[in-house]
Amino acid sequence: MLTRDLLRYRIDGDVVKPSFLKVTPAIRDLTESLLAHWQGGVGGRLGDLEDAAIPILHRSRSLVVGRGLQKLILDACTFAEPPSAATLREEAFAVSAALLTAPARTSDDHRSAVAERLGLHGDDVRDRLYADHPDQAALETVPAWTATHLIPRYNLALTQGLLLFARSLTVTVADADIGLRRRLLKALRFRRLLADIRGDDRQALTLEISGPGSVLDQHSRYGMHLALFLPALACCRSWKAEIALALPRGGPARLLLSDEDALPGDNAFLGFVPEELQTLHNTLRERFPTWTWQDPQLLPHPDGEVVVPDLQVVVDGKNVALELFHRWHGHAIHRRLDQLAAGWAPHLAVGVDRTVLKADASIAVHPLFIARGFAFSDLPAARAVGEVITRTVNGR
């Protein structure tokens, strides 16, 4: 995504208008030139390639556009880690300090003397002494993009950068594709985003998602999760969103987005499963081989809320779902426990982050938490998951 210094937008009343790129001849030429430069630079050093790209960047009427395009290219590149020069530096500094007891006439003479003691040529010392700095990294791979790929990605990255200032999002998804909506909501859960999810008679989904501006703990990390959810949302055919922003300069503002903005979706984000959660799934399957793990099904509540479990398993013919409440979800756990106490979803178990329990001691003594809940730190342990599922199956 684009960083704050690369964001381009204007404010019309209270509505934020992102300065999306259009495929004009000038923008296409700039984009193709940058791509050609980096795609032809494989094997070169980062610092040298960045210096050589400066004339290309200055072709743009707005330097910030070129810098933004180049950032997206570099974010998708891979670089070879340069070998450490720490030992050579330590030896060179020690030799240099010893030689300074009888200083040479010139700095060049001093450098030559240090190189001789190290068994190197004078120029080698200068080049190798800081060969492990980031600008010395060698370019290994560059995405095989064209301007047609990069320009929409720029518009998406611009929007993602603005989402870091979101206070709330109201998203409506009108797609009738049940499978797509289920994967979208799973992506929402995997990103650990705060959301109130509701459905209506027309099978439309409304998501009230809290933004990083309303999260006090780990603000930047939450904002990143929210920005990474946008490519999944853009996979829907019919959607719209109204985002309340708190921009660094100016008062409250709104950002309006929809499928009409043609932001590129990425199906990979719909199937994304965090590595730590995949590890938990694998451990559970090994530890409980007779249990049948399933793709979690949505649980509609009579008041219109839709619950998205994190895990679902069949044990002794009984379906048990598990919903996790992370450190950002503390406000929602009381509502869920009260719903369970009223008899809804008798086979739904809950896990609550210890940070939430520490902030609100009343959760731990709630009868339904005692019966069907457990505590975890950041990610639940397989043992604790197995125990709460067994208690829920047995009705204890």
Side-chain angles (χ1 to χ4, degrees):
M1 75 185 69
L2 298 185
T3 52
R4 179 183 300 191
D5 60 311
L6 298 176
L7 298 180
R8 299 169 58 251
Y9 60 89
R10 61 185 176 86
I11 300 179
D12 185 1
D14 69 337
V15 177
V16 175
K17 302 283 189 178
S19 299
F20 289 142
L21 290 186
K22 297 180 180 179
V23 188
T24 63
I27 291 297
R28 179 176 287 278
D29 176 67
L30 172 64
T31 305
E32 290 176 345
S33 297
L34 281 171
L35 286 168
H37 171 72
W38 288 100
Q39 289 167 351
V42 173
R45 294 187 298 184
L46 174 60
D48 295 337
L49 291 168
E50 287 182 323
D51 289 342
I54 291 175
I56 302 175
L57 297 177
H58 281 278
R59 291 185 202 170
S60 172
R61 294 176 60 184
S62 175
L63 180 59
V64 71
V65 172
R67 290 174 55 218
L69 290 167
Q70 178 163 272
K71 180 186 184 301
L72 298 183
I73 296 172
L74 287 176
D75 285 348
C77 291
T78 61
F79 293 86
E81 186 86 17
S84 174
T87 301
L88 177 63
R89 277 197 297 273
E90 184 177 341
E91 293 175 353
F93 293 156
V95 168
S96 178
L99 290 174
L100 286 174
T101 58
R105 294 195 326 173
T106 66
S107 60
D108 287 340
D109 290 343
H110 179 76
R111 185 183 302 110
S112 296
V114 171
E116 184 179 353
R117 293 282 188 94
L118 295 174
L120 298 172
H121 188 273
D123 291 339
D124 286 343
V125 172
R126 184 173 53 201
D127 293 340
R128 292 175 56 181
L129 207 57
Y130 299 101
D132 54 355
H133 279 203
D135 64 347
Q136 300 299 306
L139 179 60
E140 283 190 323
T141 65
V142 185
W145 293 341
T146 65
T148 304
H149 297 103
L150 183 53
I151 292 173
R153 287 175 180 269
Y154 175 94
N155 293 337
L156 176 67
L158 172 59
T159 309
Q160 289 178 302
L162 289 170
L163 287 181
L164 295 179
F165 304 103
R167 294 201 64 82
S168 64
L169 294 79
T170 301
V171 177
T172 301
V173 179
D175 284 51
D177 187 334
I178 301 298
L180 177 63
R181 287 190 292 163
R182 184 180 296 119
R183 294 195 302 275
L184 178 68
L185 295 179
K186 283 180 62 178
L188 185 79
R189 291 295 301 179
F190 288 155
R191 294 295 177 192
R192 303 183 182 182
L193 297 174
L194 291 162
D196 181 14
I197 307 165
R198 298 191 173 271
D200 61 22
D201 295 337
R202 296 170 296 152
Q203 296 188 327
L205 281 177
T206 300
L207 315 177
E208 296 284 348
I209 306 173
S210 296
S214 64
V215 176
L216 298 179
D217 184 35
Q218 300 190 36
H219 177 286
S220 59
R221 181 181 175 189
Y222 186 90
M224 183 67 70
H225 281 301
L226 180 61
L228 292 175
F229 176 68
L230 185 59
L233 176 61
C235 289
C236 299
R237 291 185 297 274
S238 178
W239 65 276
K240 61 182 180 180
E242 179 173 331
I243 301 113
L245 299 176
L247 296 172
R249 296 184 300 274
R254 296 180 299 142
L255 173 64
L256 305 177
L257 299 173
S258 75
D259 53 272
E260 295 182 358
D261 293 308
L263 298 176
D266 191 336
N267 283 313
F269 285 90
L270 287 176
F272 169 78
V273 178
E275 182 179 351
E276 63 272 17
L277 193 55
Q278 187 61 58
T279 300
L280 173 61
H281 288 176
N282 296 338
T283 303
L284 288 169
R285 287 184 174 90
E286 293 174 2
R287 182 166 294 192
F288 306 102
T290 62
W291 293 4
T292 303
W293 299 91
Q294 299 180 331
D295 191 28
Q297 303 298 304
L298 306 183
L299 300 176
H301 189 271
D303 70 358
E305 181 182 1
V306 178
V307 174
V308 187
D310 293 271
L311 296 171
Q312 183 169 313
V313 62
V314 178
V315 181
D316 297 334
K318 295 181 180 179
N319 272 297
V320 177
L322 174 64
E323 184 180 13
L324 300 177
F325 291 81
H326 297 278
R327 62 184 64 213
W328 300 310
H329 303 163
H331 78 289
I333 181 60
H334 279 289
R335 182 176 74 253
R336 187 72 72 246
L337 291 174
D338 290 343
Q339 291 169 342
L340 297 180
W344 178 73
H347 291 122
L348 176 65
V350 296
V352 182
D353 193 295
R354 286 189 173 86
T355 304
V356 177
L357 295 174
K358 185 177 180 180
D360 187 347
S362 67
I363 298 172
V365 297
H366 193 290
L368 261 295
F369 180 79
I370 295 172
R372 282 190 264 158
F374 71 100
F376 66 91
S377 298
D378 194 44
L379 194 71
R383 176 189 56 77
V385 172
E387 289 176 355
V388 77
I389 288 175
T390 300
R391 292 204 313 271
T392 304
V393 168
N394 295 332
R396 298 198 302 268

